[in-house]
């Protein structure tokens, strides 16, 4: 009863103040804008909900906020109105409520926000509004209720609730964690802290920030690593699967799939809270995985599992994703007309529910672009790809943005618009380089991830085994002390030491093998990326040369392409082979020859024979020899067989104890005395410099063609 009188007094005073200010706004109605009139209508509704007959605090605050949004703070006619609405809002919020009343009211706002995130009454703006109201109420009451605030921010940052967009949620996640950290240690719920960190980590991964995402994920795992409850272990399994799958590396994806399957089977047999959300996320990621590894039957199986579960799901995002997945699946089968309705339904559902900032919205447009491209409607395809790219830029999903730019590049190249193709290729390269740099920075953290997180169960078992061994050793030692035969005791001690030493050596060997395997994988990845970068350089030179008309310049550009290709093949062989320190030269020469013949379109008129045994050389020797052979083959194809004459080029490489002998011979026209050499002479200079680099000597003979021999001293190689 007393509380009712207090409310009546506050609202009566507020109503008089507001009506007075409102009457002033009526006096200047002739000069007021439409926005002011609309704001007045909202403020009247707010006051109506403030009267005792139909009192509803959250409805009143809703219309106050709507009224403030319509007004311009820089417009003099609006300033008094804004002040009055803010005063009204402050009065409502700062009513003298007890801590229990504040907690109950904020919980009511929170429940209302969660109600609006479900179909058929899904309303993203309303969800955001009620979350904001709950936060505002808690943050303006004293003392601050840190646990309630942390619980509220857990719901706000949960991606399943689809409140704010990724950028905003990313900024709110650390606020929620800061409230959790201020809870007294003896009252902290580790599951609450774990969930806050997992939400934040997944947001970082989606936004293309793997390093901070990994750090948050490891921190979350540490909180629950000792919790034996089955429902908690199932939650951890599911989150491990989601995180590793989305982390972006093949090794982690395999772990992710394993954990997703385990958690899926556990949830299907349980009735734990969040069961349906966990299952539909598992089905979705497993469908993606089997689609990527070209197992359509398995992918379709999980799509059908989603279809069965969908009637129990109230989140419109999952419905939208299902329609998108079905449409995308039909496109892969080239059933374009059947795919279109699914994609149109995806876009419509996401627009109706204000889900344009979700990545599925981008990909639905991209897939419609794929259909338009396949059907030859290029302008329409460009429009769809640009919509996807622009939507991705708005929410700063870097990898998605790079992917859509690549699609635009490919389409312009197909259309023959090489200028725009080059512009988009450069834009893609810049965006992709940023992503690659971030991936390169992961290497050390990935090792830590594998050692500290992925193998926690193995490490725990290993530690238990070590403890058992130590206990046994102590017992044996105690027994030995009691033995009377000194020689027998010494022998036993000696055996124990030897056994322990062997065990340590075995453990060190296992660890060393693991480290070596990791380093080998990283080295292969480096060679792979170097090869990709050389391919990128070659492609850029090709694009540039397509726009050059001068034959000499064009020829120089082609020579540069061949030199880049020669080095690229070296790195390709390194990451494809089993020995990262050496190259098998015969296979390398054959691949190099095929590439050069293809460049000069000379496969039909010239044959290249490689008469040599299999021979492996280190990288520092193989690269300059490859460049030398590249130059000699290029010269032979350009000058040795004029007027489409046919012929053969012979390559051989022999290794003695301390020297290498390289021979390149053709049966072409040879060099004619008295005739000036053609070309710029750069190739000859390059061969000379590379020969000196390898401490070699070159001899040239003209006898039924051109015959060039090199002798390189292995012991003095640079």
């Amino acid at each position: 009863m007393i509380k009712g009188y207090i409310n009546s007094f506050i609202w009566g005073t507020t109503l008089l103040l507001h009506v007075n200010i409102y009457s002033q706004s009526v006096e200047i109605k002739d000069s007021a804008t439409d926005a002011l009139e609309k704001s007045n209508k909202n403020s009247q509704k707010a006051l109506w909900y403030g009267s005792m007959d139909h009192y509803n605090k959250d409805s009143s605050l809703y219309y106050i906020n709507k009224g403030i949004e319509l007004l311009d703070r820089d417009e003099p006619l609006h300033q008094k109105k804004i002040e009055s609405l803010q005063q009204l809002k402050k009065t409502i919020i700062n009513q003298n409520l007890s801590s229990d009343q504040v907690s109950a009211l904020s919980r009511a706002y929170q429940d209302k926000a969660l109600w609006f995130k479900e179909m058929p009454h899904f309303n993203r703006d309303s969800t955001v509004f009620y979350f904001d109201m709950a936060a505002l109420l808690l943050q303006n009451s004293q003392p601050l209720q840190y646990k309630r605030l942390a619980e509220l921010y857990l719901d706000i940052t949960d991606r399943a609730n689809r409140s704010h967009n990724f950028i905003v949620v990313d900024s709110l996640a650390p606020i929620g964690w800061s409230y959790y950290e201020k809870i007294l240690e003896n009252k902290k719920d580790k599951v609450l802290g774990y969930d806050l960190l997992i939400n934040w980590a997944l947001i970082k991964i989606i936004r293309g920030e793997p390093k901070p995402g990994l750090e948050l994920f490891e921190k979350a795992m540490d909180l629950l690593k000792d919790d034996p409850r089955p429902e908690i272990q199932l939650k951890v399994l599911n989150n491990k699967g989601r995180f590793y799958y989305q982390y972006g590396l093949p090794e982690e994806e395999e772990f992710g799939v394993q954990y997703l399957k385990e958690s899926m089977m556990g949830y299907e047999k349980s009735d734990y809270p969040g069961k349906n959300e966990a299952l539909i996320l598992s089905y979705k990621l497993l469908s993606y995985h089997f689609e990527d590894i070209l197992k359509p039957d398995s992918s379709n199986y999980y799509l059908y599992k989603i279809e069965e579960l969908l009637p129990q799901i109230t989140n419109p995002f999952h419905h939208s994703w299902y329609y998108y997945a079905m449409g995308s699946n039909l496109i892969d089968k080239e059933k374009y007309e059947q795919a279109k309705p699914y994609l149109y339904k995806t876009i419509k559902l996401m627009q109706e529910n204000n889900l344009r900032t979700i990545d599925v919205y981008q990909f639905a447009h991209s897939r419609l672009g794929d259909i338009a491209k396949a059907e030859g409607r290029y302008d329409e395809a460009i429009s769809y790809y640009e919509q996807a790219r622009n939507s991705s830029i708005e929410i700063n999903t870097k990898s998605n943005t790079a992917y859509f730019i690549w699609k635009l590049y490919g389409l312009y190249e197909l259309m023959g618009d090489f200028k725009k193709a080059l512009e988009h290729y450069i834009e893609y390269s810049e965006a992709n380089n940023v992503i690659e740099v971030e991936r390169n920075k992961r290497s050390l953290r990935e090792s830590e991830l594998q050692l500290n997180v992925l193998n926690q169960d193995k490490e725990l078992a290993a530690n238990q085994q070590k403890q058992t061994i130590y206990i046994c050793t102590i017992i044996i030692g105690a027994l030995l002390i009691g033995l009377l035969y000194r020689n027998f005791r010494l022998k036993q001690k000696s055996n124990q030491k030897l056994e322990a030493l062997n065990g340590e050596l075995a453990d060190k060997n296992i660890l060393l093998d693991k480290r070596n395997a990791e380093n080998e994988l990283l080295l292969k990845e480096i060679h792979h990326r170097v090869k990709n970068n050389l391919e990128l350089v070659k492609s850029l030179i090709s694009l540039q040369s397509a726009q050059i008309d001068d034959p000499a310049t064009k020829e120089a550009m082609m020579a540069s392409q061949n030199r880049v290709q020669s080095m690229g093949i070296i790195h390709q062989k390194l990451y494809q082979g089993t020995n990262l320190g050496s190259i098998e030269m015969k296979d390398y020469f054959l691949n190099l020859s095929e590439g050069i013949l293809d460049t000069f379109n000379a496969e039909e008129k010239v044959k290249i024979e490689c008469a040599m045994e299999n021979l492996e050389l280190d990288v520092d020797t193989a690269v300059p020899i490859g460049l030398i052979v590249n130059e000699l083959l290029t010269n032979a194809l350009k000058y040795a067989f004029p007027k489409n004459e046919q012929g053969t080029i012979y390559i051989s490489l022999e290794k003695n104890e301390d020297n290498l002998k390289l021979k390149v011979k053709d049966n072409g026209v040879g060099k004619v005395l008295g005739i000036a050499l053609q070309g710029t002479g750069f190739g000859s200079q390059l061969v000379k410099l590379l020969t000196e680099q390898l401490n070699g000597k070159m001899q040239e003979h003209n006898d039924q063609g051109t015959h060039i021999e090199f002798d390189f001293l292995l012991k003095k190689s640079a």
Side-chain angles (χ1 to χ4, degrees):
M1 180 68 70
I2 295 172
K3 183 64 182 175
Y5 287 130
I6 292 173
N7 279 337
S8 299
F9 174 76
I10 291 172
W11 275 100
T13 305
T14 304
L15 184 62
L16 288 173
L17 175 64
H18 189 76
V19 168
N20 180 47
I21 296 173
Y22 174 64
S23 65
Q24 294 177 19
S25 69
V26 173
E27 293 176 2
I28 56 171
K29 183 176 181 181
D30 293 338
S31 60
T33 62
D34 290 339
L36 184 59
E37 293 177 359
K38 291 177 181 177
S39 178
N40 286 334
K41 291 179 181 178
N42 281 291
S43 62
Q44 289 173 357
K45 290 182 180 179
L47 290 168
W48 186 81
Y49 278 112
S51 64
M52 290 303 297
D53 293 337
H54 23 71
Y55 176 77
N56 189 313
K57 181 177 179 179
D58 53 355
S59 296
S60 182
L61 285 169
Y62 172 78
Y63 284 109
I64 290 172
N65 285 329
K66 292 285 286 184
I68 292 174
E69 288 174 5
L70 292 167
L71 298 174
D72 183 357
R73 296 181 183 277
D74 296 327
E75 170 61 50
L77 296 177
H78 295 177
Q79 290 175 358
K80 286 188 177 180
K81 183 69 175 179
I82 292 172
E83 291 173 4
S84 68
L85 288 172
Q86 288 175 335
Q87 181 62 38
L88 179 61
K89 182 176 179 179
K90 185 176 180 181
T91 303
I92 297 169
I93 293 171
N94 290 334
Q95 293 185 58
N96 294 323
L97 301 177
S98 67
S99 293
D100 290 342
Q101 289 172 324
V102 168
S103 180
L105 185 55
S106 69
R107 175 63 70 184
Y109 285 138
Q110 189 173 347
D111 291 342
K112 195 73 171 177
L114 295 172
W115 185 81
F116 276 112
K117 68 101 175 179
E118 298 179 347
M119 296 191 303
H121 32 72
F122 181 89
N123 188 312
R124 198 171 185 182
D125 290 337
S126 296
T127 295
V128 171
F129 171 77
Y130 283 107
F131 273 146
D132 288 347
M133 290 305 304
L136 190 64
L137 181 66
L138 288 168
Q139 290 165 343
N140 282 278
S141 66
Q142 293 297 330
L144 287 175
Q145 301 180 40
Y146 295 120
K147 185 176 181 182
R148 275 291 302 122
L149 282 162
E151 292 169 345
L152 173 63
Y153 274 84
L154 174 62
D155 276 342
I156 291 174
T157 57
D158 187 349
R159 291 184 60 227
N161 295 333
R162 299 295 172 192
S163 55
H164 300 282
N165 63 44
F166 283 128
I167 299 174
V168 176
V169 174
D170 193 12
S171 68
L172 296 176
I175 298 175
W177 176 249
S178 70
Y179 286 133
Y180 174 81
E181 288 185 308
K182 292 176 182 176
I183 301 172
L184 294 175
E185 285 298 325
N186 60 347
K187 294 185 178 180
K188 278 185 178 177
D189 179 359
K190 289 187 176 181
V191 177
L192 173 61
Y194 167 88
D195 288 335
L196 283 165
L197 289 171
I198 286 293
N199 286 352
W200 195 2
L202 289 171
I203 292 165
K204 288 294 185 185
I205 292 298
I206 294 297
R207 292 202 64 197
E209 300 178 35
K211 184 177 180 181
L214 176 59
E215 292 170 349
L216 293 166
F217 178 72
E218 287 184 280
K219 196 172 183 179
M221 291 297 108
D222 285 340
L223 284 176
L224 296 185
K225 63 183 179 182
D226 299 324
D227 195 318
R229 289 176 290 176
E231 65 272 24
I232 299 303
Q233 292 305 309
L234 206 53
K235 176 200 284 280
V236 170
L237 269 179
N238 185 261
N239 287 326
K240 276 186 179 181
R242 291 171 63 190
F243 184 86
Y244 297 149
Y245 183 86
Q246 295 176 322
Y247 190 68
L249 293 171
E251 301 89 342
E252 274 68 44
E253 184 175 323
E254 289 301 321
F255 282 106
V257 169
Q258 177 185 341
Y259 287 131
L260 286 170
K261 286 181 178 179
E262 290 180 25
S263 70
M264 176 192 70
M265 290 186 288
Y267 274 115
E268 285 177 338
K269 298 175 184 177
S270 77
D271 289 316
Y272 294 135
K275 168 184 176 179
N276 288 344
E277 183 71 20
L279 281 175
I280 203 163
L281 286 169
S282 298
Y283 295 153
K284 169 186 169 183
L285 295 179
L286 289 169
S287 176
Y288 270 142
H289 170 72
F290 287 109
E291 181 182 2
D292 289 342
I293 64 174
L294 303 179
K295 291 187 177 181
D297 291 340
S298 297
S299 179
N300 290 336
Y301 169 78
Y302 289 107
L303 279 178
Y304 294 141
K305 296 286 283 185
I306 292 174
E307 186 179 21
E308 292 176 0
L309 187 61
L310 215 53
Q312 303 174 49
I313 299 298
T314 58
N315 190 326
F317 170 73
H318 295 311
H319 291 259
S320 303
W321 182 88
Y322 170 74
Y323 297 134
Y324 162 75
M326 289 297 295
S328 185
N329 201 359
L330 289 166
I331 290 174
D332 294 339
K333 298 175 182 177
E334 298 184 359
K335 297 180 179 180
Y336 301 132
E337 291 305 317
Q338 296 178 40
K340 288 178 185 178
Y342 282 106
L343 296 175
Y344 292 147
K345 193 168 184 178
T346 300
I347 293 172
K348 181 181 178 183
L349 188 60
M350 300 192 86
Q351 288 175 340
E352 289 174 349
N353 291 288
N354 193 21
L355 292 171
R356 292 181 180 86
T357 57
I358 308 303
D359 54 3
V360 171
Y361 186 74
Q362 308 160 18
F363 282 101
H365 283 89
S366 175
R367 296 255 65 183
L368 285 170
D370 293 341
I371 295 175
K373 177 182 176 182
E375 295 177 347
R377 294 176 282 110
Y378 295 148
D379 289 341
E380 187 176 338
I382 288 172
S383 176
Y384 278 123
Y385 289 152
E386 287 180 342
Q387 287 182 69
R389 178 197 61 190
N390 295 340
S391 178
S392 178
I393 290 172
E394 284 182 18
I395 61 172
N396 195 28
T397 48
K398 299 174 185 176
S399 58
N400 291 354
T401 302
Y403 173 70
F404 299 135
I405 295 170
W406 175 263
K407 289 210 164 198
L408 283 166
Y409 152 70
L411 185 55
Y412 279 117
E413 186 180 42
L414 180 64
M415 294 168 63
D417 190 342
F418 296 113
K419 182 179 178 182
K420 286 192 175 180
L422 180 59
E423 290 173 359
H424 283 84
Y425 192 92
I426 293 171
E427 186 180 356
Y428 163 78
S429 298
E430 292 173 351
N432 193 55
N433 283 342
V434 173
I435 298 169
E436 286 297 322
V437 168
E438 290 177 352
R439 285 178 179 169
N440 289 336
K441 289 179 180 177
R442 295 192 209 180
S443 57
L444 178 60
R445 298 297 298 163
E446 286 160 12
S447 298
E448 294 176 9
L449 176 68
Q450 293 174 4
L451 294 174
N452 298 335
V453 181
L454 296 180
N455 296 326
Q456 281 185 357
D457 295 337
K458 292 181 181 179
E459 288 183 358
L460 181 60
N463 289 335
Q464 290 174 344
Q465 186 177 9
K466 286 181 181 178
Q467 290 175 1
T468 303
I469 292 172
Y470 292 151
I471 292 171
C472 291
T473 303
I474 292 171
I475 293 172
I476 292 171
L479 291 173
L480 289 174
I481 293 173
L483 294 175
L484 299 175
Y485 301 101
R486 182 174 180 275
N487 291 337
F488 180 75
R489 184 172 68 245
L490 291 174
K491 183 177 179 181
Q492 287 292 98
K493 286 183 178 181
S494 177
N495 289 339
Q496 290 170 21
K497 289 180 180 179
L498 182 60
E499 182 180 353
L501 187 61
N502 288 335
E504 290 178 7
L505 185 59
D507 290 340
K508 288 180 180 178
N509 286 337
I510 292 171
L511 182 60
L512 184 60
D513 289 341
K514 188 180 295 185
R515 296 282 187 185
N516 288 338
E518 291 171 357
N519 291 335
E520 184 174 325
L521 180 64
L522 289 173
L523 190 54
K524 282 190 175 184
E525 181 64 14
I526 290 168
H527 284 301
H528 192 184
R529 289 178 181 171
V530 171
K531 180 255 182 184
N532 286 346
N533 287 335
L534 289 171
E535 284 290 332
L536 172 62
V537 172
K538 181 183 173 185
S539 299
L540 290 173
I541 293 173
S542 177
L543 284 172
Q544 186 65 40
S545 63
Q547 301 177 6
I548 294 174
D549 295 325
D550 179 56
T553 307
K554 201 160 191 173
E555 184 175 304
M557 297 289 274
M558 193 188 338
S560 297
Q561 279 184 261
N562 289 340
R563 293 175 186 125
V564 171
Q565 178 179 272
S566 170
M567 293 184 285
I569 294 173
I570 293 282
H571 291 280
Q572 181 179 357
K573 294 297 178 187
L574 283 170
Y575 77 77
Q576 288 180 341
T578 56
N579 189 345
L580 291 172
S582 62
I583 308 294
E584 204 293 297
M585 297 303 292
K586 182 176 181 179
D587 183 55
Y588 168 66
F589 284 151
L590 291 174
N591 285 335
L592 180 62
S593 301
E594 289 174 4
I596 295 175
L597 286 173
D598 181 65
T599 301
F600 286 91
N601 196 21
E603 296 95 334
E604 299 298 327
K605 72 171 187 174
V606 177
K607 293 183 179 179
I608 298 178
E609 295 184 2
C610 192
M612 57 181 284
E613 300 295 330
N614 290 345
L615 174 63
E616 290 190 350
L617 293 181
D618 63 276
V619 180
D620 292 339
T621 306
V623 171
I625 287 180
L627 288 171
I628 289 171
V629 172
N630 176 79
E631 295 300 323
L632 297 178
L633 291 178
T634 301
N635 278 344
L637 289 172
K638 286 164 63 176
Y639 306 120
F641 307 102
K643 300 179 181 179
N644 292 324
E645 291 180 8
Q646 295 187 349
T648 306
I649 303 173
Y650 303 89
I651 307 172
S652 69
L653 182 63
E654 299 175 358
K655 182 178 180 181
N656 297 323
E657 290 183 359
D658 57 357
N659 76 310
L660 282 171
K661 185 178 287 293
L662 172 66
K663 297 179 182 179
V664 180
K665 180 181 179 181
D666 64 70
N667 59 2
V669 297
K671 293 184 179 180
V672 181
L673 295 175
I675 297 179
L677 295 175
Q678 302 180 46
T680 62
F682 176 77
S684 300
Q685 293 177 19
L686 180 59
V687 170
K688 182 179 178 182
L689 289 171
L690 292 170
T691 303
E692 292 176 357
Q693 179 183 332
L694 292 175
N695 199 20
K697 295 180 181 180
M698 182 181 81
Q699 294 181 348
E700 183 174 351
H701 309 284
N702 288 302
D703 182 16
Q704 296 180 350
T706 301
H707 181 194
I708 302 177
E709 294 184 3
F710 298 83
D711 281 309
F712 306 109
L713 293 178
L714 287 176
K715 293 183 179 180
K716 298 182 180 179
S717 295

